[in-house]
Amino acid sequence: MNPQPGLRDVAKAAEVSVALASLALNDKPGVSAVTRQRILEVADRLGYQANPAARALRLGRTDGYGLILRNLQNPFFLDVITGLHEAAADRGATVLISDADYSHTRELEAVDHLAAQRVGGLAIAPVGPGDAVARWRQLCPGKPVVVLNAVSPDLPGVVRVAPDNHAAVEHAMRHLADLGHRDIAFLTAPAEVMADHDRLDAYRVECDRLGLAYRPVETALAFDAVFSVIGELLRSSTAPTAVITNSDFTAHAVYSAARDAGVEVGVGLSVVGHDDLPTSALLDPPLTTLSLDRRALGRAVFDRMSGGPGLGDHIEPVRLVVRSSTAPIR
């Protein structure tokens, strides 16, 4: 088997220096149009392909970018990834994806791995306050970092991409209050892994404004954990009449818990989701939820992660989609 031709082989066949061949193949100035065309034709005839590892060593980066998610079980992130990949493909780039699964250790390991791969930038939906972002900045100073679906107040200077969480919570709370609900539970991650503090802050503001009791429900945001916590709550003597979840994914678990506890969603319990997944309109009853363009979030993430000039924070608009999972209090 013939070895893969390298840059020196192209330069020799085109009768130019290695430096000139490199300029032509990397579309750099300093080469005449005639010479560039000859070099490209030779490279094509020889079947030359650039060595990405060597290019990464030379440039200090690759055409790849990194994405670390805290919970890949949540289908919300699949649409974000789709939008991100669409934007990356338009630029001839690739994206390496890691799932931290709400583990600080796994998150830091993923940062170390991506830094070693010399990716050109990082986007992360962090676990907790953002230690992984600090690690990235230490390992890759000057390379872009984008924080997805997180506030990270202790990380000044990062670019943030997220839904409009304040509007989302306000829409949900006011809708339920208009239906007569006075006891509204609010699903949230445990403090040590919480990243979207703005949702909880908005909930507190709305409780104060509406004169309602402040009732956050902390739970790991995995299906089984939400099922267990909500099931116990619904069987208690202080069961809420409504639950606002952080995602349609966890709203599905609330439905299952209500069914197991003998509580009918849309009758004995109103539920509001967040994301408007395609399956949410197919639930029984269909889920009231916050809708947003999840692919647009992904495209916004890539644009900023790839160093788009002058691009700051991106807040994606949300709108409330009212379905049968919410109803007037009885």
Side-chain angles (χ1 to χ4, degrees):
M1 180 180 294
N2 294 327
Q4 180 71 33
L7 180 61
R8 292 184 181 276
D9 299 311
V10 174
K12 182 178 180 181
E15 299 181 340
V16 297
S17 68
V18 172
L20 199 63
S22 177
L23 290 174
L25 293 170
N26 287 287
D27 198 25
K28 300 294 184 182
V31 188
S32 71
V34 173
T35 301
R36 185 188 303 276
Q37 183 62 32
R38 186 171 82 252
I39 293 170
L40 293 176
E41 289 175 354
V42 168
D44 184 60
R45 174 167 54 82
L46 294 178
Y48 168 80
Q49 292 182 339
N51 184 325
R55 187 172 187 272
L57 287 171
R58 186 171 66 253
L59 300 179
R61 63 175 177 79
T62 67
D63 290 325
Y65 295 86
L67 174 65
I68 303 175
L69 301 173
R70 54 178 172 259
N71 182 17
L72 198 49
Q73 292 183 43
N74 188 341
F76 165 86
F77 285 117
L78 299 181
D79 285 324
V80 174
I81 290 170
T82 298
L84 195 155
H85 271 296
E86 289 172 350
D90 289 343
R91 300 271 287 275
T94 57
V95 181
L96 304 177
I97 301 171
S98 297
D99 180 15
D101 194 24
Y102 279 104
S103 165
H104 290 285
T105 300
R106 288 183 60 174
E107 186 180 60
L108 291 173
E109 289 174 348
V111 169
D112 292 346
H113 175 73
L114 291 169
Q117 294 295 311
R118 299 176 180 265
V119 295
L122 174 70
I124 179 170
V127 178
D131 294 340
V133 175
R135 174 74 70 89
W136 169 261
R137 286 177 154 176
Q138 177 186 9
L139 296 174
C140 304
K143 287 187 177 181
V145 56
V146 178
V147 174
L148 171 64
N149 283 24
V151 176
S152 302
D154 297 329
L155 298 171
V158 301
V159 176
R160 296 174 176 85
V161 173
D164 189 341
N165 283 331
H166 285 279
V169 174
E170 180 180 307
H171 291 335
M173 288 290 288
R174 296 186 183 193
H175 170 64
L176 291 170
D178 287 345
L179 293 174
H181 292 276
R182 309 298 297 169
D183 192 353
I184 303 170
F186 188 82
L187 209 63
T188 185
E192 63 271 16
V193 298
M194 186 189 306
D196 49 356
H197 302 272
D198 51 343
R199 294 186 72 255
L200 196 58
D201 292 343
Y203 171 63
R204 185 189 298 274
V205 167
E206 286 302 305
C207 284
D208 290 343
R209 191 190 68 81
L210 296 167
L212 306 180
Y214 180 65
R215 195 171 184 182
V217 178
E218 285 195 9
T219 174
L221 299 178
F223 190 96
D224 290 346
V226 174
F227 175 86
S228 176
V229 169
I230 295 298
E232 183 177 346
L233 183 64
L234 293 178
R235 291 184 179 89
S236 72
S237 59
T238 58
T241 64
V243 177
I244 297 175
T245 69
N246 72 309
S247 67
D248 287 11
F249 171 67
T250 51
H252 286 47
V254 172
Y255 270 54
S256 294
R259 187 177 300 113
D260 190 66
V263 177
E264 187 176 354
V265 172
V267 179
L269 179 71
S270 286
V271 181
V272 179
H274 190 298
D275 304 335
D276 197 20
L277 299 177
T279 54
S280 297
L282 305 178
L283 294 176
D284 184 18
L287 177 64
T288 294
T289 186
L290 279 305
S291 180
L292 68 150
D293 189 336
R294 299 178 297 278
R295 292 191 180 189
L297 274 181
R299 292 190 293 271
V301 166
F302 182 79
D303 288 344
R304 287 151 180 80
M305 176 171 55
S306 59
L311 296 177
D313 292 351
H314 174 85
I315 303 300
E316 187 64 26
V318 300
R319 63 183 180 87
L320 184 68
V321 178
V322 178
R323 300 189 180 110
S324 305
S325 70
T326 52
I329 190 72
R330 295 189 176 189

